Amino acid sequence: MSFATSKSRVLLPLVVAVALGGCSVDKSRSAGTSVVVLVDFSKSFAPLVGDERALEELASATSELAQREWQPPVEILWSRIQTASLISGPLCGPFQFQQSLIKRDNDDSSQIAEKLQACTKTVVRASTAGSERSAYTDISGAVALAADQGQSVLGPKYIVIVSDFMEDLPAGKRPIRLQLNGERVLLLHRLGTERTPQSLLDHLARIQRWSDALREAGAASVIALPLSAITQQRLVRALGSGTKAGTDVVVLQDMPDTARPEMLKTIAATLNKAARDWQPPVTVTWADVRDESAIPLQMPPLEFTPRLVKAADSSAQDFPTLLNECAEGMQRFSPGVRLGDMAGSLSFYSSAGALDADHVLLMVSSFPNLPKGRRDLPLNLTGVRVAMLPAPNRTDASDEDAYLARVAQWELWLKQQHANVCRIPFNGLTTDSLIDCLHGS
């Protein structure tokens, strides 16, 4: 990757009038909010079929903010990252949403959500066509297009980038110089399909380089979240107030061959019980750790917010049912890969909770020796509650002392990262013992 830089609710009961336009934005400067979503259509990232849930969450979040929080009129454009992104045509929009205290004829606030959800389907469908995917990835040009789109707006400006952030330009082409003017930037990332697979830590280092470059270029703020871990409420916080709220719960498993898979249901039952005492919303992400060059296999995030009145939609599955189904689904990954990149996954999923106030981590593993590169990994786990749930592999029978020493080494390392650590043997787990563990008893 190469780039150059220069510095350069209290909610009112508004009736929302929606103007949906397909023409160019008026270049006369005006108040309002500019939102540009840049989606990577390069062959190293597309198709986006596996990202449809995340894009739908993005559409829902922007719809909510357009109606309730952002300064009107709100202009939204979805554009593509391609070989020459500065000259790319829109994927969707530009749309303009105008709030009004007076409802006009034929206005319907639901059109905001409908238009943006339709946009996600258009984007995913287009990404599956080989003719739509580009050979190269011009991220810098896409950022320049987004910055230019917001020049007419005096109010807040947002740029959302969906990519693996592997900029790749044709031979002889130089990246456009990054120049921003107070935009708030959200990076939604995942590993791409590079010929030479990269580790999670290499991927996170690349995201950090882009974050630093965008700040140096003039961005007011840069937030990075993994695509696989986003929810509507996390996106609302990222693109809205930016305040931290809720509880981030991550279960990382690399099931030893002596581990009892049914014990995962005990974890699910415990999380269901504990969630009622944690700061809402509680977001649970459950992943099976792979080796260093592979992407963790993850269930979609689950979100829990206590309600005094049961939702009218009785067909919706409740939180304990979904947690139990998640635990059942994760049993199929037993036994695990034995040498899964637990430290890399820990860094990856810690970044997913960047906008959550509290953090809980559960680790099911035989805790293989930490490679030196991982032992030196700078990771701030201050205030994170970590439950180590160890079990040996059968091969550990030949040297049980070595197994116990590994587990102790991991516990020490986690504490050195300032985590609050407790430990329970996985096969002896009960709901009460895990609750006590997480509460520090």
mmCIF file of all heavy atoms in Angstrom, residues 281-327:
data_model
loop_
_atom_site.group_PDB
_atom_site.id
_atom_site.type_symbol
_atom_site.label_atom_id
_atom_site.label_comp_id
_atom_site.label_asym_id
_atom_site.label_seq_id
_atom_site.Cartn_x
_atom_site.Cartn_y
_atom_site.Cartn_z
ATOM 1 N N PRO A 281 -26.523 -1.866 25.381
ATOM 2 C CA PRO A 281 -26.805 -3.207 24.849
ATOM 3 C C PRO A 281 -25.613 -4.146 25.049
ATOM 4 O O PRO A 281 -24.462 -3.715 25.009
ATOM 5 C CB PRO A 281 -27.040 -2.935 23.359
ATOM 6 C CG PRO A 281 -26.201 -1.728 23.061
ATOM 7 C CD PRO A 281 -26.269 -0.888 24.293
ATOM 8 N N VAL A 282 -25.916 -5.418 25.257
ATOM 9 C CA VAL A 282 -24.883 -6.448 25.369
ATOM 10 C C VAL A 282 -24.724 -7.100 24.003
ATOM 11 O O VAL A 282 -25.683 -7.636 23.452
ATOM 12 C CB VAL A 282 -25.263 -7.499 26.427
ATOM 13 C CG1 VAL A 282 -24.214 -8.607 26.479
ATOM 14 C CG2 VAL A 282 -25.421 -6.837 27.799
ATOM 15 N N THR A 283 -23.530 -7.032 23.458
ATOM 16 C CA THR A 283 -23.258 -7.592 22.136
ATOM 17 C C THR A 283 -22.339 -8.791 22.275
ATOM 18 O O THR A 283 -21.220 -8.664 22.781
ATOM 19 C CB THR A 283 -22.601 -6.548 21.214
ATOM 20 O OG1 THR A 283 -23.401 -5.368 21.183
ATOM 21 C CG2 THR A 283 -22.442 -7.089 19.803
ATOM 22 N N VAL A 284 -22.815 -9.960 21.854
ATOM 23 C CA VAL A 284 -22.054 -11.207 21.975
ATOM 24 C C VAL A 284 -21.539 -11.623 20.602
ATOM 25 O O VAL A 284 -22.312 -11.789 19.654
ATOM 26 C CB VAL A 284 -22.922 -12.335 22.572
ATOM 27 C CG1 VAL A 284 -22.113 -13.637 22.658
ATOM 28 C CG2 VAL A 284 -23.442 -11.937 23.948
ATOM 29 N N THR A 285 -20.218 -11.781 20.508
ATOM 30 C CA THR A 285 -19.578 -12.271 19.291
ATOM 31 C C THR A 285 -18.866 -13.579 19.626
ATOM 32 O O THR A 285 -18.064 -13.626 20.555
ATOM 33 C CB THR A 285 -18.559 -11.254 18.742
ATOM 34 O OG1 THR A 285 -19.177 -9.977 18.618
ATOM 35 C CG2 THR A 285 -18.028 -11.695 17.386
ATOM 36 N N TRP A 286 -19.165 -14.635 18.871
ATOM 37 C CA TRP A 286 -18.644 -15.979 19.166
ATOM 38 C C TRP A 286 -17.891 -16.479 17.935
ATOM 39 O O TRP A 286 -18.445 -16.551 16.844
ATOM 40 C CB TRP A 286 -19.807 -16.910 19.489
ATOM 41 C CG TRP A 286 -19.465 -18.145 20.274
ATOM 42 C CD1 TRP A 286 -18.386 -18.963 20.096
ATOM 43 C CD2 TRP A 286 -20.219 -18.716 21.355
ATOM 44 N NE1 TRP A 286 -18.405 -20.004 20.996
ATOM 45 C CE2 TRP A 286 -19.527 -19.877 21.782
ATOM 46 C CE3 TRP A 286 -21.414 -18.368 21.982
ATOM 47 C CZ2 TRP A 286 -19.991 -20.681 22.810
ATOM 48 C CZ3 TRP A 286 -21.874 -19.169 23.010
ATOM 49 C CH2 TRP A 286 -21.175 -20.312 23.427
ATOM 50 N N ALA A 287 -16.603 -16.805 18.119
ATOM 51 C CA ALA A 287 -15.773 -17.166 16.971
ATOM 52 C C ALA A 287 -14.919 -18.384 17.271
ATOM 53 O O ALA A 287 -14.449 -18.578 18.403
ATOM 54 C CB ALA A 287 -14.878 -15.998 16.568
ATOM 55 N N ASP A 288 -14.707 -19.194 16.243
ATOM 56 C CA ASP A 288 -13.785 -20.319 16.306
ATOM 57 C C ASP A 288 -12.463 -19.876 15.687
ATOM 58 O O ASP A 288 -12.417 -19.445 14.530
ATOM 59 C CB ASP A 288 -14.341 -21.527 15.550
ATOM 60 C CG ASP A 288 -13.447 -22.749 15.667
ATOM 61 O OD1 ASP A 288 -13.420 -23.351 16.757
ATOM 62 O OD2 ASP A 288 -12.774 -23.091 14.678
ATOM 63 N N VAL A 289 -11.396 -19.973 16.459
ATOM 64 C CA VAL A 289 -10.095 -19.455 16.041
ATOM 65 C C VAL A 289 -9.443 -20.421 15.060
ATOM 66 O O VAL A 289 -9.429 -21.637 15.269
ATOM 67 C CB VAL A 289 -9.200 -19.239 17.272
ATOM 68 C CG1 VAL A 289 -7.807 -18.791 16.862
ATOM 69 C CG2 VAL A 289 -9.840 -18.224 18.215
ATOM 70 N N ARG A 290 -8.910 -19.864 13.993
ATOM 71 C CA ARG A 290 -8.189 -20.647 12.986
ATOM 72 C C ARG A 290 -6.688 -20.415 13.137
ATOM 73 O O ARG A 290 -6.237 -19.713 14.034
ATOM 74 C CB ARG A 290 -8.632 -20.232 11.581
ATOM 75 C CG ARG A 290 -10.121 -20.360 11.324
ATOM 76 C CD ARG A 290 -10.524 -21.787 10.997
ATOM 77 N NE ARG A 290 -10.983 -22.543 12.147
ATOM 78 C CZ ARG A 290 -11.261 -23.832 12.107
ATOM 79 N NH1 ARG A 290 -11.119 -24.526 10.979
ATOM 80 N NH2 ARG A 290 -11.687 -24.461 13.180
ATOM 81 N N ASP A 291 -5.892 -20.998 12.237
ATOM 82 C CA ASP A 291 -4.456 -20.774 12.316
ATOM 83 C C ASP A 291 -4.121 -19.374 11.832
ATOM 84 O O ASP A 291 -4.992 -18.596 11.430
ATOM 85 C CB ASP A 291 -3.670 -21.848 11.546
ATOM 86 C CG ASP A 291 -4.009 -21.884 10.058
ATOM 87 O OD1 ASP A 291 -4.383 -20.832 9.502
ATOM 88 O OD2 ASP A 291 -3.897 -22.970 9.462
ATOM 89 N N GLU A 292 -2.840 -19.026 11.839
ATOM 90 C CA GLU A 292 -2.421 -17.637 11.671
ATOM 91 C C GLU A 292 -2.852 -17.015 10.350
ATOM 92 O O GLU A 292 -3.117 -15.823 10.274
ATOM 93 C CB GLU A 292 -0.895 -17.551 11.811
ATOM 94 C CG GLU A 292 -0.357 -16.142 11.823
ATOM 95 C CD GLU A 292 1.131 -16.107 12.105
ATOM 96 O OE1 GLU A 292 1.615 -16.961 12.860
ATOM 97 O OE2 GLU A 292 1.810 -15.220 11.558
ATOM 98 N N SER A 293 -2.933 -17.799 9.289
ATOM 99 C CA SER A 293 -3.235 -17.242 7.970
ATOM 100 C C SER A 293 -4.700 -17.387 7.572
ATOM 101 O O SER A 293 -5.060 -17.095 6.431
ATOM 102 C CB SER A 293 -2.356 -17.911 6.902
ATOM 103 O OG SER A 293 -2.629 -19.297 6.842
ATOM 104 N N ALA A 294 -5.548 -17.825 8.499
ATOM 105 C CA ALA A 294 -6.954 -18.065 8.171
ATOM 106 C C ALA A 294 -7.864 -17.143 8.982
ATOM 107 O O ALA A 294 -7.517 -16.691 10.071
ATOM 108 C CB ALA A 294 -7.324 -19.522 8.428
ATOM 109 N N ILE A 295 -9.028 -16.870 8.427
ATOM 110 C CA ILE A 295 -10.004 -15.997 9.074
ATOM 111 C C ILE A 295 -10.792 -16.802 10.111
ATOM 112 O O ILE A 295 -11.227 -17.924 9.832
ATOM 113 C CB ILE A 295 -10.966 -15.413 8.030
ATOM 114 C CG1 ILE A 295 -10.185 -14.644 6.962
ATOM 115 C CG2 ILE A 295 -11.999 -14.514 8.680
ATOM 116 C CD1 ILE A 295 -11.041 -14.197 5.795
ATOM 117 N N PRO A 296 -10.998 -16.277 11.325
ATOM 118 C CA PRO A 296 -11.838 -16.977 12.301
ATOM 119 C C PRO A 296 -13.237 -17.228 11.738
ATOM 120 O O PRO A 296 -13.764 -16.430 10.952
ATOM 121 C CB PRO A 296 -11.895 -16.004 13.485
ATOM 122 C CG PRO A 296 -10.671 -15.167 13.341
ATOM 123 C CD PRO A 296 -10.429 -15.037 11.866
ATOM 124 N N LEU A 297 -13.825 -18.343 12.134
ATOM 125 C CA LEU A 297 -15.179 -18.682 11.724
ATOM 126 C C LEU A 297 -16.131 -18.178 12.805
ATOM 127 O O LEU A 297 -16.061 -18.612 13.953
ATOM 128 C CB LEU A 297 -15.311 -20.194 11.529
ATOM 129 C CG LEU A 297 -14.337 -20.798 10.505
ATOM 130 C CD1 LEU A 297 -14.466 -22.314 10.460
ATOM 131 C CD2 LEU A 297 -14.573 -20.210 9.128
ATOM 132 N N GLN A 298 -17.012 -17.281 12.430
ATOM 133 C CA GLN A 298 -17.773 -16.526 13.418
ATOM 134 C C GLN A 298 -19.273 -16.584 13.166
ATOM 135 O O GLN A 298 -19.721 -16.582 12.029
ATOM 136 C CB GLN A 298 -17.313 -15.061 13.388
ATOM 137 C CG GLN A 298 -18.003 -14.173 14.389
ATOM 138 C CD GLN A 298 -17.902 -12.720 13.989
ATOM 139 O OE1 GLN A 298 -16.826 -12.210 13.741
ATOM 140 N NE2 GLN A 298 -19.059 -12.051 13.922
ATOM 141 N N MET A 299 -20.028 -16.636 14.252
ATOM 142 C CA MET A 299 -21.470 -16.486 14.177
ATOM 143 C C MET A 299 -21.806 -14.993 14.118
ATOM 144 O O MET A 299 -21.046 -14.152 14.616
ATOM 145 C CB MET A 299 -22.132 -17.123 15.400
ATOM 146 C CG MET A 299 -21.844 -18.605 15.572
ATOM 147 S SD MET A 299 -22.555 -19.623 14.261
ATOM 148 C CE MET A 299 -24.257 -19.734 14.825
ATOM 149 N N PRO A 300 -22.948 -14.606 13.519
ATOM 150 C CA PRO A 300 -23.338 -13.191 13.529
ATOM 151 C C PRO A 300 -23.488 -12.687 14.960
ATOM 152 O O PRO A 300 -23.923 -13.424 15.844
ATOM 153 C CB PRO A 300 -24.690 -13.193 12.799
ATOM 154 C CG PRO A 300 -24.687 -14.430 11.973
ATOM 155 C CD PRO A 300 -23.905 -15.445 12.762
ATOM 156 N N PRO A 301 -23.108 -11.427 15.233
ATOM 157 C CA PRO A 301 -23.231 -10.891 16.589
ATOM 158 C C PRO A 301 -24.685 -10.919 17.075
ATOM 159 O O PRO A 301 -25.615 -10.711 16.305
ATOM 160 C CB PRO A 301 -22.731 -9.448 16.453
ATOM 161 C CG PRO A 301 -21.940 -9.423 15.196
ATOM 162 C CD PRO A 301 -22.554 -10.442 14.293
ATOM 163 N N LEU A 302 -24.839 -11.180 18.359
ATOM 164 C CA LEU A 302 -26.147 -11.143 19.005
ATOM 165 C C LEU A 302 -26.193 -9.927 19.913
ATOM 166 O O LEU A 302 -25.230 -9.629 20.617
ATOM 167 C CB LEU A 302 -26.394 -12.409 19.827
ATOM 168 C CG LEU A 302 -26.332 -13.739 19.077
ATOM 169 C CD1 LEU A 302 -26.538 -14.893 20.054
ATOM 170 C CD2 LEU A 302 -27.379 -13.782 17.982
ATOM 171 N N GLU A 303 -27.336 -9.230 19.925
ATOM 172 C CA GLU A 303 -27.464 -8.023 20.727
ATOM 173 C C GLU A 303 -28.647 -8.162 21.672
ATOM 174 O O GLU A 303 -29.737 -8.572 21.262
ATOM 175 C CB GLU A 303 -27.643 -6.809 19.810
ATOM 176 C CG GLU A 303 -27.281 -5.488 20.468
ATOM 177 C CD GLU A 303 -27.166 -4.372 19.437
ATOM 178 O OE1 GLU A 303 -28.217 -4.003 18.870
ATOM 179 O OE2 GLU A 303 -26.043 -3.889 19.183
ATOM 180 N N PHE A 304 -28.412 -7.806 22.933
ATOM 181 C CA PHE A 304 -29.452 -7.933 23.955
ATOM 182 C C PHE A 304 -29.640 -6.601 24.665
ATOM 183 O O PHE A 304 -28.687 -5.994 25.161
ATOM 184 C CB PHE A 304 -29.064 -9.001 24.980
ATOM 185 C CG PHE A 304 -29.949 -9.044 26.200
ATOM 186 C CD1 PHE A 304 -31.250 -9.528 26.115
ATOM 187 C CD2 PHE A 304 -29.489 -8.580 27.428
ATOM 188 C CE1 PHE A 304 -32.071 -9.555 27.237
ATOM 189 C CE2 PHE A 304 -30.296 -8.613 28.552
ATOM 190 C CZ PHE A 304 -31.591 -9.102 28.457
ATOM 191 N N THR A 305 -30.888 -6.127 24.712
ATOM 192 C CA THR A 305 -31.266 -4.948 25.479
ATOM 193 C C THR A 305 -32.519 -5.291 26.275
ATOM 194 O O THR A 305 -33.538 -5.654 25.684
ATOM 195 C CB THR A 305 -31.556 -3.747 24.559
ATOM 196 O OG1 THR A 305 -30.387 -3.452 23.780
ATOM 197 C CG2 THR A 305 -31.929 -2.523 25.378
ATOM 198 N N PRO A 306 -32.471 -5.224 27.596
ATOM 199 C CA PRO A 306 -33.666 -5.559 28.404
ATOM 200 C C PRO A 306 -34.835 -4.647 28.060
ATOM 201 O O PRO A 306 -34.657 -3.445 27.812
ATOM 202 C CB PRO A 306 -33.196 -5.323 29.840
ATOM 203 C CG PRO A 306 -31.702 -5.338 29.779
ATOM 204 C CD PRO A 306 -31.334 -4.826 28.435
ATOM 205 N N ARG A 307 -36.027 -5.211 28.039
ATOM 206 C CA ARG A 307 -37.244 -4.445 27.778
ATOM 207 C C ARG A 307 -38.283 -4.748 28.855
ATOM 208 O O ARG A 307 -38.439 -5.895 29.261
ATOM 209 C CB ARG A 307 -37.833 -4.793 26.405
ATOM 210 C CG ARG A 307 -36.992 -4.303 25.229
ATOM 211 C CD ARG A 307 -37.711 -4.606 23.919
ATOM 212 N NE ARG A 307 -36.990 -4.055 22.776
ATOM 213 C CZ ARG A 307 -36.046 -4.694 22.121
ATOM 214 N NH1 ARG A 307 -35.700 -5.916 22.492
ATOM 215 N NH2 ARG A 307 -35.435 -4.131 21.094
ATOM 216 N N LEU A 308 -38.972 -3.695 29.297
ATOM 217 C CA LEU A 308 -40.034 -3.891 30.281
ATOM 218 C C LEU A 308 -41.270 -4.503 29.642
ATOM 219 O O LEU A 308 -42.024 -5.228 30.287
ATOM 220 C CB LEU A 308 -40.404 -2.551 30.925
ATOM 221 C CG LEU A 308 -39.298 -1.906 31.781
ATOM 222 C CD1 LEU A 308 -39.768 -0.534 32.281
ATOM 223 C CD2 LEU A 308 -38.929 -2.802 32.947
ATOM 224 N N VAL A 309 -41.456 -4.218 28.356
ATOM 225 C CA VAL A 309 -42.620 -4.743 27.643
ATOM 226 C C VAL A 309 -42.120 -5.613 26.506
ATOM 227 O O VAL A 309 -41.234 -5.211 25.740
ATOM 228 C CB VAL A 309 -43.495 -3.595 27.074
ATOM 229 C CG1 VAL A 309 -44.683 -4.169 26.321
ATOM 230 C CG2 VAL A 309 -43.939 -2.672 28.200
ATOM 231 N N LYS A 310 -42.660 -6.794 26.368
ATOM 232 C CA LYS A 310 -42.253 -7.703 25.311
ATOM 233 C C LYS A 310 -42.607 -7.131 23.944
ATOM 234 O O LYS A 310 -43.650 -6.524 23.752
ATOM 235 C CB LYS A 310 -42.947 -9.061 25.489
ATOM 236 C CG LYS A 310 -42.424 -10.135 24.523
ATOM 237 C CD LYS A 310 -43.042 -11.495 24.818
ATOM 238 C CE LYS A 310 -42.502 -12.550 23.869
ATOM 239 N NZ LYS A 310 -43.065 -13.886 24.146
ATOM 240 N N ALA A 311 -41.694 -7.298 23.009
ATOM 241 C CA ALA A 311 -41.908 -6.771 21.663
ATOM 242 C C ALA A 311 -43.171 -7.359 21.052
ATOM 243 O O ALA A 311 -43.527 -8.515 21.291
ATOM 244 C CB ALA A 311 -40.706 -7.073 20.784
ATOM 245 N N ALA A 312 -43.844 -6.544 20.239
ATOM 246 C CA ALA A 312 -45.098 -6.995 19.633
ATOM 247 C C ALA A 312 -44.884 -8.123 18.657
ATOM 248 O O ALA A 312 -45.770 -8.954 18.441
ATOM 249 C CB ALA A 312 -45.773 -5.810 18.930
ATOM 250 N N ASP A 313 -43.685 -8.189 18.045
ATOM 251 C CA ASP A 313 -43.399 -9.228 17.066
ATOM 252 C C ASP A 313 -43.063 -10.520 17.785
ATOM 253 O O ASP A 313 -41.919 -10.783 18.150
ATOM 254 C CB ASP A 313 -42.219 -8.803 16.173
ATOM 255 C CG ASP A 313 -41.924 -9.828 15.087
ATOM 256 O OD1 ASP A 313 -42.708 -10.792 14.971
ATOM 257 O OD2 ASP A 313 -40.914 -9.673 14.376
ATOM 258 N N SER A 314 -44.046 -11.333 18.037
ATOM 259 C CA SER A 314 -43.860 -12.569 18.797
ATOM 260 C C SER A 314 -43.074 -13.610 18.025
ATOM 261 O O SER A 314 -42.610 -14.588 18.590
ATOM 262 C CB SER A 314 -45.225 -13.157 19.196
ATOM 263 O OG SER A 314 -45.997 -13.422 18.030
ATOM 264 N N SER A 315 -42.910 -13.394 16.718
ATOM 265 C CA SER A 315 -42.157 -14.354 15.913
ATOM 266 C C SER A 315 -40.654 -14.201 16.092
ATOM 267 O O SER A 315 -39.880 -15.076 15.741
ATOM 268 C CB SER A 315 -42.507 -14.179 14.427
ATOM 269 O OG SER A 315 -42.102 -12.906 13.962
ATOM 270 N N ALA A 316 -40.224 -13.039 16.624
ATOM 271 C CA ALA A 316 -38.795 -12.805 16.818
ATOM 272 C C ALA A 316 -38.257 -13.740 17.891
ATOM 273 O O ALA A 316 -38.853 -13.913 18.947
ATOM 274 C CB ALA A 316 -38.557 -11.349 17.208
ATOM 275 N N GLN A 317 -37.103 -14.354 17.616
ATOM 276 C CA GLN A 317 -36.504 -15.256 18.592
ATOM 277 C C GLN A 317 -35.888 -14.448 19.719
ATOM 278 O O GLN A 317 -35.323 -13.382 19.519
ATOM 279 C CB GLN A 317 -35.440 -16.117 17.915
ATOM 280 C CG GLN A 317 -36.011 -17.133 16.939
ATOM 281 C CD GLN A 317 -34.911 -17.942 16.285
ATOM 282 O OE1 GLN A 317 -34.108 -17.419 15.533
ATOM 283 N NE2 GLN A 317 -34.881 -19.223 16.572
ATOM 284 N N ASP A 318 -35.977 -14.966 20.948
ATOM 285 C CA ASP A 318 -35.450 -14.229 22.082
ATOM 286 C C ASP A 318 -33.960 -14.532 22.268
ATOM 287 O O ASP A 318 -33.400 -15.446 21.667
ATOM 288 C CB ASP A 318 -36.245 -14.544 23.353
ATOM 289 C CG ASP A 318 -36.251 -16.026 23.685
ATOM 290 O OD1 ASP A 318 -35.534 -16.808 23.016
ATOM 291 O OD2 ASP A 318 -36.969 -16.406 24.626
ATOM 292 N N PHE A 319 -33.333 -13.747 23.127
ATOM 293 C CA PHE A 319 -31.888 -13.805 23.321
ATOM 294 C C PHE A 319 -31.412 -15.178 23.794
ATOM 295 O O PHE A 319 -30.454 -15.719 23.234
ATOM 296 C CB PHE A 319 -31.486 -12.699 24.299
ATOM 297 C CG PHE A 319 -30.012 -12.558 24.507
ATOM 298 C CD1 PHE A 319 -29.174 -12.185 23.463
ATOM 299 C CD2 PHE A 319 -29.462 -12.767 25.768
ATOM 300 C CE1 PHE A 319 -27.810 -12.028 23.670
ATOM 301 C CE2 PHE A 319 -28.103 -12.615 25.980
ATOM 302 C CZ PHE A 319 -27.272 -12.244 24.932
ATOM 303 N N PRO A 320 -32.023 -15.794 24.816
ATOM 304 C CA PRO A 320 -31.542 -17.119 25.247
ATOM 305 C C PRO A 320 -31.650 -18.179 24.161
ATOM 306 O O PRO A 320 -30.770 -19.038 24.040
ATOM 307 C CB PRO A 320 -32.421 -17.442 26.461
ATOM 308 C CG PRO A 320 -33.557 -16.507 26.414
ATOM 309 C CD PRO A 320 -33.085 -15.286 25.719
ATOM 310 N N THR A 321 -32.702 -18.117 23.354
ATOM 311 C CA THR A 321 -32.838 -19.090 22.262
ATOM 312 C C THR A 321 -31.724 -18.923 21.251
ATOM 313 O O THR A 321 -31.101 -19.904 20.805
ATOM 314 C CB THR A 321 -34.200 -18.930 21.571
ATOM 315 O OG1 THR A 321 -35.245 -19.160 22.521
ATOM 316 C CG2 THR A 321 -34.345 -19.902 20.409
ATOM 317 N N LEU A 322 -31.438 -17.682 20.890
ATOM 318 C CA LEU A 322 -30.381 -17.421 19.916
ATOM 319 C C LEU A 322 -29.017 -17.813 20.461
ATOM 320 O O LEU A 322 -28.172 -18.356 19.739
ATOM 321 C CB LEU A 322 -30.396 -15.951 19.521
ATOM 322 C CG LEU A 322 -31.617 -15.499 18.708
ATOM 323 C CD1 LEU A 322 -31.628 -13.974 18.568
ATOM 324 C CD2 LEU A 322 -31.627 -16.152 17.337
ATOM 325 N N LEU A 323 -28.763 -17.524 21.747
ATOM 326 C CA LEU A 323 -27.499 -17.925 22.350
ATOM 327 C C LEU A 323 -27.326 -19.435 22.343
ATOM 328 O O LEU A 323 -26.241 -19.956 22.033
ATOM 329 C CB LEU A 323 -27.430 -17.419 23.798
ATOM 330 C CG LEU A 323 -26.817 -16.047 24.048
ATOM 331 C CD1 LEU A 323 -26.922 -15.698 25.527
ATOM 332 C CD2 LEU A 323 -25.359 -16.008 23.605
ATOM 333 N N ASN A 324 -28.401 -20.150 22.677
ATOM 334 C CA ASN A 324 -28.333 -21.607 22.700
ATOM 335 C C ASN A 324 -28.077 -22.162 21.298
ATOM 336 O O ASN A 324 -27.289 -23.101 21.115
ATOM 337 C CB ASN A 324 -29.619 -22.185 23.274
ATOM 338 C CG ASN A 324 -29.460 -23.625 23.717
ATOM 339 O OD1 ASN A 324 -28.596 -23.931 24.528
ATOM 340 N ND2 ASN A 324 -30.296 -24.506 23.181
ATOM 341 N N GLU A 325 -28.734 -21.578 20.292
ATOM 342 C CA GLU A 325 -28.508 -22.014 18.915
ATOM 343 C C GLU A 325 -27.078 -21.724 18.474
ATOM 344 O O GLU A 325 -26.469 -22.508 17.737
ATOM 345 C CB GLU A 325 -29.496 -21.315 17.981
ATOM 346 C CG GLU A 325 -30.931 -21.793 18.146
ATOM 347 C CD GLU A 325 -31.894 -21.068 17.221
ATOM 348 O OE1 GLU A 325 -31.445 -20.122 16.518
ATOM 349 O OE2 GLU A 325 -33.076 -21.436 17.191
ATOM 350 N N CYS A 326 -26.551 -20.613 18.943
ATOM 351 C CA CYS A 326 -25.166 -20.264 18.634
ATOM 352 C C CYS A 326 -24.217 -21.304 19.225
ATOM 353 O O CYS A 326 -23.292 -21.786 18.549
ATOM 354 C CB CYS A 326 -24.851 -18.881 19.193
ATOM 355 S SG CYS A 326 -23.237 -18.250 18.747
ATOM 356 N N ALA A 327 -24.442 -21.668 20.488
ATOM 357 C CA ALA A 327 -23.593 -22.678 21.136
ATOM 358 C C ALA A 327 -23.683 -24.015 20.418
ATOM 359 O O ALA A 327 -22.670 -24.706 20.226
ATOM 360 C CB ALA A 327 -24.001 -22.829 22.603
#
